[in-house]
Amino acid sequence: MYYIGVDVGTGSVRAALVGTSAQVLAQATVPIKTWRFASDSRLYEQSGQQIWDAIAHCVRTVVQEANVAASDVHGIGFDATCSLVVVRKDGSPVCVTPSHLPQDDQCNIILWADHRAEAEAQLINQTGHKVLNYVGGTMSLEMETPKILWLKKHWPAALFDQCEFFDLPDYLTFRATQSRARSFCSLVCKCGFIPPGTDGSTIGWQSDFLDQIGLGSLGPSYDALGGIPGQTGMVLTAGMPVGAGLAEAAAHDLGLMPHTPVGSGVIDAYAGWVGTVAASSRSEAATSPTPRLADAATRLIAIAGTSTCYCIQSDKGIAVPGVWGPYKNAIFPGMWMNEGGQSSTGQLIDMILETHPAYAALQAEAQERHVSPFSLLEETLATLMTEQGLPCASPSSYAFLVRHMHMYPDFYGNRSPLADASLRGMMSGLTLDRSRADLARKYVLTLEAIALQTRQIIEAMNQRGHRIEAIYLSGGGQARNLIYAQLIADVCGVRVQMPRHASASVVVGAAILGRLAAAVTRDRAGETRANDAVLPSQAEAEACAPLYAHTLWDLMAQTTNSGDMIFPTEDRQTLALFQAKYRIFLESIDLQRRWAKDMDHIHAN
């Protein structure tokens, strides 16, 4: 039996075919387009149809490349960025581009990175409503509620009232099954939904809050948001089967069998958590014992891609100012998640490299030698260490090359733990050097700055009650970067695990959800594919989910490959360097805020 995971990232769609023994048999990737506008850099838009077409291509490709019959694929799971999808009641796309800009009807997604809803987020955060207690005290303009409010304020009422709004993972399961069931992951993390029974919440949607901010017209049924669970809608925990599996049209698009089980989806970072947190650790001596579900409470998963998300689970809700959550039921029923984040870390590394005068020559040489540009940068760093007589005890030793340089990395605003979108990047210690050596130093400086901010996030979490003992890297290129991993270990003083197959962890996490959906379907319907909804009511879904919590964990442990553990340095000089760097890092925040206040005061007068 085989299972498919589909990951929709910021710039591409990826699918993987995974076997029952955790092997990834085939992968396929297709780039997706993001619409940008020269006149307004805040806007990022995508197309739901283009994404679905890319998914169909990737799924068909992995099945064909692995030479697997469609009937042997027993489940599929989806994850995606937390982007807002807007459709009419019949599912057709609604263009979200502001009216004064060129319109493209297929642009019906406001990407997570879109910052048009800054004023709406400020309005929401001035309410002081208890909804804010479950997003770290401040709702980000990257979440769905501010975006929906922006549309409400800028659209004719008649158009707004025709629309339905989906977080992208839920839109994908809707396209796949035609079921409007939503995921707890999307609703609690991005839509201001408080699960019924939590903090006085009765229907999940907070009517007084939505009335207060100007979205009261979405009630009383809240159909446009997915409805009221148990009345007009259904909300599912991760991997629970959605509807009756693949609808006929979707099955045709994907080249799979109708009624193939579809697992309730999750946001991409949480798929990375699912595909990483249950890994055992390898050393030269042995592999550690199979982890238990309780071990997740000590493991912070860093899902690194365009941005970096830091996810950790606990058995109780821990409120951390500036850190999103606590989110109940986001993955496991009855459990809570917190999510810290750094906006645009991958983009920051790319920008530092690609805007440097030496980058073009570096890239050309890398192509000529058939190596990574990062390998050439490491060669340059090693040469610089030798020339300056600096010992290279570990990959983090390169930080001594930039001991008189400092960076604050929030070039796109701070997500955690300050939740301050107004903060910007800072660099000091710059020269007129245009060489590859200067590029290599700035590369290390950027990784160091990301590590320093990671320490700030960890300290905020631990101060509120988490007990983080290790960081498990997941996601893209950063998770495979040994310099970055050692910097994280040394700066933060915790063990760091580098996964064996970092780039596959997110899409494998999605496949695990499809596998869970298949297991539930078999148990409840007595067959792999059921013609009717496997979970026909909210009550049955809520009764079923806890019964499969340990099944989900067991599947995660079986499917997640072990990784290599990196330990923090004991070198006193290195530790002293990073302690001083961290103090300067914190000072740079205060300095920037004071400068901004001084300038705002002059502007105001």
Side-chain angles (χ1 to χ4, degrees), residues 1-75:
M1 292 187 287
Y2 305 95
Y3 306 90
I4 290 177
V6 174
D7 166 47
V8 179
T10 300
S12 65
V13 167
R14 181 172 42 166
L17 184 75
V18 181
T20 53
S21 58
Q23 74 275 29
V24 176
L25 301 176
Q27 291 192 70
T29 303
V30 170
I32 51 177
K33 180 179 179 180
T34 297
W35 278 259
R36 300 295 312 278
F37 300 89
S39 60
D40 193 338
S41 62
R42 302 172 303 164
L43 306 181
Y44 290 75
E45 298 176 358
Q46 291 185 337
S47 161
Q49 185 59 49
Q50 187 197 59
I51 287 173
W52 183 256
D53 290 343
I55 289 171
H57 175 82
C58 287
V59 170
R60 285 179 172 273
T61 298
V62 297
V63 171
Q64 291 169 3
E65 287 187 357
N67 195 26
V68 167
S71 58
D72 288 331
V73 176
H74 289 267

Side-chain angles (χ1 to χ4, degrees), residues 181-529:
R182 306 302 175 96
S183 66
F184 272 107
C185 188
S186 283
L187 295 192
V188 300
C189 295
K190 304 300 173 186
C191 300
F193 184 92
I194 302 176
T198 302
D199 199 7
S201 177
T202 57
I203 63 171
W205 302 110
Q206 306 306 299
S207 302
D208 59 335
F209 167 69
L210 294 172
D211 287 342
Q212 188 175 356
I213 66 173
L215 289 176
S217 64
L218 294 172
S221 65
Y222 302 102
D223 288 341
L225 301 174
I228 298 171
Q231 298 180 33
T232 59
M234 178 177 286
V235 188
L236 302 171
T237 52
M240 287 292 102
V242 181
L246 287 179
E248 292 279 351
H252 178 269
D253 291 344
L254 303 179
L256 299 176
M257 298 288 290
H259 304 297
T260 298
V262 176
S264 181
V266 296
I267 297 163
D268 52 356
Y270 290 85
W273 184 89
V274 169
T276 303
V277 71
S280 55
S281 302
R282 289 183 298 161
S283 66
E284 293 182 1
T287 298
S288 65
T290 301
R292 302 164 301 144
L293 178 57
D295 293 331
T298 65
R299 299 178 173 190
L300 182 68
I301 310 305
I303 304 96
T306 304
S307 293
T308 302
C309 297
Y310 298 91
C311 296
I312 190 166
Q313 182 172 271
S314 63
D315 59 4
K316 60 179 181 179
I318 300 175
V320 184
V323 172
W324 293 344
Y327 296 138
K328 189 176 183 180
N329 300 335
I331 301 294
F332 281 86
M335 304 293 281
W336 300 76
M337 296 286 290
N338 283 99
E339 179 188 351
Q342 294 168 289
S343 290
S344 301
T345 50
Q347 285 183 326
L348 174 61
I349 295 169
D350 291 343
M351 187 275 290
I352 293 296
L353 297 180
E354 293 169 5
T355 59
H356 195 281
Y359 181 70
L362 175 78
Q363 195 172 37
E365 182 178 338
Q367 292 174 351
E368 181 180 341
R369 292 173 54 182
H370 303 289
V371 297
S372 164
F374 299 103
S375 297
L376 298 183
L377 290 174
E378 289 186 36
E379 289 180 7
T380 302
L381 291 169
T383 299
L384 291 172
M385 295 290 284
T386 300
E387 290 175 350
Q388 297 185 27
L390 295 171
C392 192
S394 80
S396 66
S397 299
Y398 294 136
F400 283 96
L401 294 170
V402 294
R403 59 192 178 277
H404 295 299
M405 298 175 69
H406 307 283
M407 174 188 284
Y408 183 74
D410 283 331
F411 284 53
Y412 202 59
N414 181 272
R415 186 183 297 175
S416 298
L418 305 175
D420 185 349
S422 70
L423 287 172
R424 292 294 179 264
M426 300 172 65
M427 296 177 69
S428 68
L430 303 183
T431 71
L432 297 176
D433 192 345
R434 299 165 59 90
S435 69
R436 182 179 298 182
D438 182 69
L439 174 58
R441 283 189 290 265
K442 287 177 179 171
Y443 166 61
V444 171
L445 183 68
T446 306
L447 298 181
E448 178 190 74
I450 294 170
L452 291 167
Q453 191 167 70
T454 302
R455 174 175 169 178
Q456 187 186 26
I457 293 170
I458 290 175
E459 289 185 353
M461 289 182 166
N462 284 340
Q463 286 169 2
R464 289 287 173 157
H466 287 291
R467 50 186 186 91
I468 296 166
E469 298 176 358
I471 295 178
Y472 281 52
L473 300 182
S474 177
Q478 294 173 58
R480 299 189 299 273
N481 189 317
L482 188 57
I483 299 176
Y484 171 71
Q486 191 67 59
L487 283 168
I488 291 286
D490 293 350
V491 169
C492 301
V494 297
R495 305 188 311 275
V496 173
Q497 177 162 287
M498 297 184 71
R500 191 186 307 176
H501 303 296
S503 61
S505 57
V506 176
V507 73
V508 167
I512 291 170
L513 302 182
R515 189 173 176 183
L516 179 63
V520 177
T521 300
R522 279 194 303 271
D523 290 350
R524 292 182 64 85
E527 56 183 330
T528 301
R529 295 175 176 86

Side-chain angles (χ1 to χ4, degrees), residues 561-593:
N561 290 305
S562 58
D564 295 315
M565 192 64 74
I566 294 173
F567 294 90
T569 184
E570 296 181 359
D571 181 71
R572 292 182 180 180
Q573 191 173 15
T574 301
L575 294 174
L577 172 68
F578 291 134
Q579 186 62 28
K581 284 272 189 164
Y582 186 59
R583 175 180 53 79
I584 294 168
F585 173 89
L586 296 177
E587 288 176 358
S588 68
I589 299 170
D590 296 333
L591 183 64
Q592 181 177 164
R593 285 175 163 170

Side-chain angles (χ1 to χ4, degrees), residues 598-605:
D598 289 346
M599 294 300 101
D600 290 344
H601 177 74
I602 293 171
H603 176 74
N605 291 279

